[in-house]
Amino acid sequence: MGSQHTQLIQAFKKVIPPLLFDAHKGEAGRIGVVGGSEEYTGAPIFASMAAFRTGADLVHVFCTSSAAIPIKSFSPDLIVHPILDSTSFSDDMNKWLPRLHALVIGPGLGRDKMILSNVEHLIGVLRKQEKPIPLVIDADGLHLITEKPDLIKNYENCILTPNAIEFERLFEKVTGMKSKDQEKEKDKAHLAQNLADTMRVNILMKGHLDTIASPDSSQLIHCGIDGSPRRCGGQGDLLAGALVAAYYWTVKNQDKIGNQSSNADKSPKTIDQQSSTSKLTPAQVAGYAASTLIRTSCQAIFSKLGRSMISADVLKEIGPTFNKLFEK
């Protein structure tokens, strides 16, 4: 691995909450997962359990009434609120928001109009907070943002996690241009920076290389660590869960990342082109750490199980992989 990989890993290590006997429950993160519908109960489970396995203390799942029992039945560790399709969602959610440190919106959300309306209202409430809490938007949450990009513009503590197709749709909606017409495929990553600058949010564009871009950053972060060629469902949800826990830590402890002043040249550069004194954002550090964690976990499980690997197997590997990457 290069020096920049080491720089990013070391930066993340500095924000990981220490394991102390006098610590209090919740100090390492109280995470909210907004998603889970009649058709999709696995996605919020994967995201929630990945947040747990990464190191969050408590995870609340805000799902529809029909999804609550399947999610509750998976693990007694999950705190499940069947309010996502409720007419009193806003009032119910307002009771819990002060207790949460970070949110991920989208896993298993579905596209029911009433549910999306409730989520739209939730994002509006989050925006009105004096300091908006870290927010990750994935899956069908991205569908809502593509339909209404202004919902999330200028939300400084937000990471959008589109795959290639989701990115193309969002890019075209926001810029009026098709991403595939703008640059050659090898340069497509720079469009993530374009979108981050335009929307004023962070972008983690998933693909063969995961690309992390922050507004006005002088660099693009790429994670190209080998994962698994097995593309079973749920891996994106695992990334979203790991990311929201990591993002809370980096935002909370961003003064520990050890940034120096940014270079005068603001033109986008890959991390391999950037000096070790570059300014890193919390989203870049968290995004690289989470991508590395899930890719390496997938790699380890695939080496054992091959084609039969499923995302439930990867969950079991997150803890040991986290220890190897970040605890030594």
Side-chain angles (χ1 to χ4, degrees), residues 110-298:
R111 299 187 181 184
D112 179 88
K113 291 183 179 180
M114 177 184 177
I115 291 173
L116 293 181
S117 176
N118 282 339
V119 172
E120 184 176 343
H121 178 80
L122 170 61
I123 293 174
V125 171
L126 295 175
R127 294 190 66 127
K128 293 177 182 177
Q129 295 183 345
E130 183 177 351
K131 187 172 180 59
I133 67 174
L135 175 63
V136 172
I137 300 184
D138 187 48
D140 278 329
L142 292 169
H143 169 75
L144 174 62
I145 299 305
T146 300
E147 292 294 312
K148 300 180 179 181
D150 287 343
L151 281 176
I152 209 65
K153 280 186 177 179
N154 301 307
Y155 194 119
E156 63 179 60
N157 284 341
C158 176
I159 304 177
L160 307 182
T161 60
N163 59 28
I165 295 175
E166 291 165 338
F167 180 84
E168 288 182 5
R169 291 170 179 163
L170 182 59
F171 186 88
E172 182 175 358
K173 179 72 173 185
V174 172
T175 68
M177 301 179 290
K178 293 185 178 182
S179 62
K180 62 183 178 181
D181 294 338
Q182 299 308 302
E183 298 190 37
K184 295 180 181 179
E185 186 65 25
K186 66 177 182 179
D187 298 321
K188 187 176 178 180
H190 291 290
L191 298 182
Q193 187 65 56
N194 181 315
L195 189 61
D197 291 339
T198 301
M199 296 190 71
R200 314 301 303 171
V201 297
N202 303 284
I203 304 292
L204 194 165
M205 183 173 67
K206 297 179 288 191
H208 179 62
L209 291 177
D210 286 346
T211 299
I212 307 106
S214 291
D216 296 331
S217 175
S218 59
Q219 64 181 313
L220 284 167
I221 306 297
H222 295 306
C223 182
I225 293 170
D226 286 339
S228 162
R230 169 81 162 120
R231 303 307 305 150
C232 53
Q235 293 177 68
D237 303 307
L238 296 176
L239 176 61
L243 178 60
V244 70
Y247 193 31
Y248 164 61
W249 296 343
T250 57
V251 170
K252 179 184 179 183
N253 301 300
Q254 55 189 296
D255 58 318
K256 298 180 181 179
I257 292 176
N259 286 322
Q260 299 184 30
S261 298
S262 301
N263 292 348
D265 180 8
K266 294 294 185 178
S267 59
K269 299 177 178 64
T270 67
I271 190 154
D272 294 327
Q273 297 171 319
Q274 197 69 21
S275 72
S276 61
T277 60
S278 300
K279 184 175 182 180
L280 295 170
T281 69
Q284 289 171 332
V285 175
Y288 188 83
S291 179
T292 299
L293 174 61
I294 298 304
R295 283 171 174 259
T296 307
S297 298
C298 288

Side-chain angles (χ1 to χ4, degrees), residues 80-102:
V80 182
H81 309 270
I83 64 173
L84 189 53
D85 54 348
S86 170
T87 56
S88 61
F89 173 78
S90 297
D91 292 337
D92 294 336
M93 194 71 193
N94 286 339
K95 298 174 185 177
W96 289 101
L97 277 180
R99 309 186 195 188
L100 302 176
H101 292 133

